[in-house]
Amino acid sequence: MHYEAAEGLAKESLRKLQTERLKRTISTCMRSSFYGSRLGALNIRPEDFTSPDDIRKLPFTTKDDLRGNYPYGLLCQPMDQYVRLHASSGTTGTPTAIFYTQNDIDSWAGLVARCMYAVGLRKGDVFQNMSGYGLFTGGLGIHYGAERLGLLTVPAGAGNSKRQVKLLRDFNVSGIHIIPSYALHFANFLKQEGIDPKSLNWRIALIGAEPHTEEIRQRIQDLLGIKAYNSYGLTEMNGPGVAFECEKQAGMHLWEDAYIAEIIDPETGEWVKEGEVGELVMTTLCRDGMPLLRYRTRDLTRFIPGDCACGRTHRRIDRITGRADDMLIIKGCNIYPMQIEQALMSLPEVAQNYLIELFKEGEMDQLRIKVEIKDEYFVEDMRALTALQKKIASRLRDEVLVTPRVELVQHDSIPKSEGKAVRVVDLRDK
Ligand code: AMP
Ligand code: ZN
């Protein structure tokens, strides 16, 4: 049983549909200033694309392209056609923003609804979205999908565990969306409060937005007494709803009528052999407002060979095993070490060296930054030092949206490594 017939399309029909949509997408792209000049210079013509494999004729699009053409350089429609935008974090590093037309929002909601249906949520279910709302797509993206499916949707947002429990109980919630680290934290909270998870009506959790292992999934399932399904997405490809596990929990179906996915060797840019791990590259097929061609996600995964027992024909990707760049994900927020460096270096008190440490406190990932302070500011006045510590923490929070622990250390006290500086130390046990 599928939410939409397209989920079971025969492979050949799916490829035909992809080709048609790819051609249309390329034509649309030509209208943006960025793609207009880039594709024009390469003499790309939609009619030269006769199979999805022809996608290799197109150049890649990178995060830097989005940054370099921020905010409007990739828009393909008149400004009054847009109804929403989502954006990545950051105030010093140039952010990236994705703009959606009403059609884009509608087709995205359809994809998310499809995912939710695939894990067994149905009209009549009550669904609590326990992830943050705002510019982050995990809020409104999941929300609109849940409403589309006809679920009674509780927009709880993240945090405030006490209130979450009250909502879960009062409204007999049967499904939730939560990031894995918060799910573990929430399990601890229930334990501390003496609440038996089995006393709740919930049965399904969608977990995603950050990397996690099969072991973490098992723990979440055991501790909360529910089934947890992996959900993958990224803002550049709308947000959640890109690839999702079905009830078989055997990899995530990537919706191939809405995206063309490729797995490449991040060094050479060539396709890897079927089943091998590489970088996921994605093209939108159903977006009018800001379509992206061959976007380098930097996420590492592989296609799972073979068909899924659920009957859906769309290929599955494995859980994300890492990144081809240095992006960190803490409490669901994407953080580049460079953002931290830029924020630190904008403060006159900070000397040259710093060290980013990732550690675990309970089940939550935390960020600690050791910062070398210039001698003239490294004074004995405790109040001055505490004020400085607070100033640095709040500057960093503005930048990466997570409040780090800040430890002030003396100039030249962080050990230097030979060769490349080690800026990030991961103390979380894997
Ligand atoms: P954002 O655009 O802020 O939603 O972040 C998207 C990024 O979060 C992706 O490129 C991945 O690196 C990460 N991500 C999202 N979902 C998952 C998931 N299910 N497993 C692992 N990483 C994920
Ligand atoms: Zn399946």
Side-chain angles (χ1 to χ4, degrees):
M1 274 256 287
H2 304 156
Y3 180 66
E4 286 172 305
E7 295 168 60
L9 267 187
K11 295 252 185 223
E12 260 327 292
S13 315
L14 199 48
R15 282 173 64 83
K16 248 200 188 131
L17 186 65
Q18 284 187 320
T19 312
E20 271 167 41
R21 291 185 170 172
L22 176 61
K23 283 183 172 172
R24 198 185 61 197
T25 299
I26 296 171
S27 313
T28 308
C29 281
M30 303 283 197
R31 297 191 212 153
S32 74
S33 64
F34 169 71
Y35 281 124
S37 58
R38 178 174 285 191
L39 302 183
L42 295 167
N43 212 9
I44 302 275
R45 297 178 320 169
E47 56 272 29
D48 295 338
F49 291 73
T50 57
S51 110
D53 299 343
D54 287 337
I55 199 158
R56 283 177 290 187
K57 296 177 182 167
L58 293 170
F60 292 117
T61 306
T62 64
K63 187 123 192 156
D64 279 342
D65 292 327
L66 299 188
R67 290 195 180 115
N69 294 278
Y70 174 86
Y72 303 131
L74 282 93
L75 301 199
C76 301
Q77 307 296 339
M79 241 8 244
D80 65 358
Q81 292 303 299
Y82 294 92
V83 298
R84 193 185 314 159
L85 63 82
H86 284 282
S88 62
S89 64
T91 48
T92 54
T94 312
T96 55
I98 300 293
F99 291 74
Y100 308 72
T101 63
Q102 188 60 54
N103 273 347
D104 296 339
I105 295 285
D106 289 345
S107 80
W108 178 19
L111 291 175
V112 175
R114 193 191 270 189
C115 297
M116 293 181 162
Y117 190 93
V119 299
L121 288 165
R122 295 290 182 274
K123 201 170 164 55
D125 274 310
V126 183
F127 183 80
Q128 187 158 320
N129 190 4
M130 299 169 68
S131 84
Y133 278 66
L135 289 171
F136 172 59
T137 52
L140 291 176
I142 291 284
H143 187 101
Y144 274 60
E147 286 189 355
R148 169 66 67 86
L149 187 55
L151 311 182
L152 170 57
T153 310
V154 186
N160 197 344
S161 299
K162 240 191 183 108
R163 196 184 59 174
Q164 299 280 6
V165 174
K166 180 157 173 55
L167 296 170
L168 288 168
R169 277 196 173 135
D170 289 359
F171 304 123
N172 235 6
V173 170
S174 45
I176 62 168
H177 174 239
I178 188 166
I179 66 172
S181 51
Y182 184 43
L184 291 169
H185 178 77
F186 194 60
N188 271 347
F189 172 83
L190 293 180
K191 201 169 164 201
Q192 276 163 16
E193 297 285 306
I195 298 166
D196 177 7
K198 298 239 156 47
S199 70
L200 296 165
N201 188 46
W202 60 9
R203 49 177 222 283
I204 291 169
L206 321 180
I207 55 171
E210 61 185 15
H212 57 285
T213 56
E214 183 57 39
E215 290 69 37
I216 290 288
R217 183 235 294 272
Q218 292 297 341
R219 265 164 77 180
I220 291 172
Q221 295 197 142
D222 294 347
L223 291 169
L224 297 183
I226 48 181
K227 281 267 181 203
Y229 298 93
N230 196 357
S231 142
Y232 170 77
L234 62 160
T235 311
E236 292 84 351
M237 291 293 124
N238 290 338
V242 173
F244 223 86
E245 280 184 337
C246 65
E247 282 178 301
K248 305 289 174 203
Q249 293 185 316
M252 299 180 279
H253 290 282
L254 190 146
W255 302 125
E256 294 185 281
D257 55 338
Y259 305 97
I260 293 180
E262 309 164 68
I263 309 257
I264 61 160
D265 177 330
E267 301 298 323
T268 64
E270 298 298 323
W271 286 1
V272 299
K273 286 203 209 86
E274 184 82 19
E276 278 181 13
V277 173
E279 178 182 343
L280 180 66
V281 170
M282 295 195 67
T283 298
T284 62
L285 295 178
C286 295
R287 217 154 67 183
D288 303 330
M290 190 173 165
L292 295 183
L293 302 173
R294 303 195 84 196
Y295 181 70
R296 304 272 307 247
T297 68
R298 311 307 273 158
D299 288 322
L300 302 178
T301 183
R302 65 183 190 112
F303 283 121
I304 298 177
D307 297 323
C308 183
C310 75
R312 290 180 181 83
T313 49
H314 302 235
R315 280 184 296 177
R316 291 163 296 159
I317 54 167
D318 214 338
R319 59 179 64 249
I320 307 296
T321 52
R323 297 269 311 170
D325 64 10
D326 56 357
M327 187 180 90
L328 312 167
I329 304 185
I330 305 289
K331 298 184 184 171
C333 291
N334 301 351
I335 302 174
Y336 290 93
M338 244 339 103
Q339 282 178 285
I340 293 181
E341 178 165 314
Q342 281 174 350
L344 288 176
M345 295 307 147
S346 70
L347 299 168
E349 299 89 345
V350 173
Q352 299 319 323
N353 276 310
Y354 62 92
L355 187 67
I356 301 167
E357 288 181 343
L358 309 176
F359 65 102
K360 270 216 177 326
E361 196 170 57
E363 297 293 351
M364 295 296 271
D365 290 342
Q366 301 286 1
L367 194 58
R368 177 167 49 224
I369 321 246
K370 290 190 172 150
V371 188
E372 284 188 4
I373 297 302
K374 288 181 188 154
D375 289 338
E376 61 266 39
Y377 295 101
F378 207 76
V379 290
E380 278 175 12
D381 179 354
M382 208 38 207
R383 267 178 312 182
L385 283 181
T386 311
L388 177 56
Q389 198 176 23
K390 280 207 178 118
K391 175 178 167 186
I392 296 176
S394 105
R395 179 75 195 79
L396 288 168
R397 201 212 116 86
D398 287 347
E399 179 57 37
V400 300
L401 307 181
V402 171
T403 311
R405 304 284 156 78
V406 171
E407 211 174 286
L408 305 182
V409 298
Q410 216 165 350
H411 189 201
D412 261 346
S413 64
I414 295 176
K416 309 257 177 322
S417 51
E418 284 177 21
K420 271 192 183 197
V422 177
R423 297 293 193 198
V424 182
V425 179
D426 195 344
L427 305 167
R428 302 169 295 181
D429 46 355
K430 296 267 152 105

